[in-house]
Amino acid sequence: MTGAELVLWRHLRAHRFDGQKVRRQQPIGPYVVDFVHFGARPIIEADGGQHVESPKDAVRDAWLNEQGFQVLRFWNDDILKRPSRCSKRFGMRCGTPPSPRLLSHKGRGETSAIRFLSRERARQQKQSE
């Protein structure tokens, strides 16, 4: 998973939408989607610059739409800066705002995700110099 996907996953797994969990990295037909809610059928794809007007993505989205899914695409930058906004839009597609889970996920991987993001930011700064 990319850094943006890790951030969004931590945010999504802390909530339930319409009483159901969100699944990550799920195979659907010939594709693997980043995040999906099988009840309401929205899909989130976390995209970087490589997905700008991609013909492959258009074909993929059309196939997923034919199967009854709605594809939401969020730029990595939006996810990293405003994960709750992305989660809220996803919840609206589920027909319900996110509700807190009964069990906390505190302590499960937060430090490794933070270390990953810190290394990623440092790498990006070095590239921009």
Side-chain angles (χ1 to χ4, degrees), residues 8 11-12 17 40 42-45 70-75 78-79 82-98:
L8 189 55
H11 193 77
L12 290 172
F17 299 85
I43 290 173
I44 290 181
E45 288 297 312
Q70 293 179 310
V71 180
L72 301 170
R73 293 192 174 276
F74 296 113
W75 285 91
D78 287 337
I79 293 170
R82 296 173 287 280
S84 60
R85 183 174 159 193
C86 298
S87 177
K88 185 176 178 181
R89 282 191 54 208
F90 183 74
M92 290 188 314
R93 294 295 173 123
C94 293
T96 181

Side-chain angles (χ1 to χ4, degrees), residues 14 21 41 52 56 59 69 74 77 88 99 105 112 117:
K21 292 193 286 184
R41 301 179 73 81
V52 176
K56 285 184 179 181
V59 169
F69 292 96
F74 296 113
D77 193 51
K88 185 176 178 181
S99 61
H105 67 276
S112 61
L117 292 173

Side-chain angles (χ1 to χ4, degrees), residues 33-47:
V33 300
D34 292 336
F35 304 99
V36 64
H37 182 285
F38 283 109
R41 301 179 73 81
I43 290 173
I44 290 181
E45 288 297 312
D47 293 340

Side-chain angles (χ1 to χ4, degrees), residues 28-31 41 60-70:
I28 299 176
Y31 305 107
R41 301 179 73 81
R60 181 176 195 247
D61 290 356
W63 187 87
L64 290 166
N65 287 332
E66 288 173 7
Q67 308 310 308
F69 292 96
Q70 293 179 310

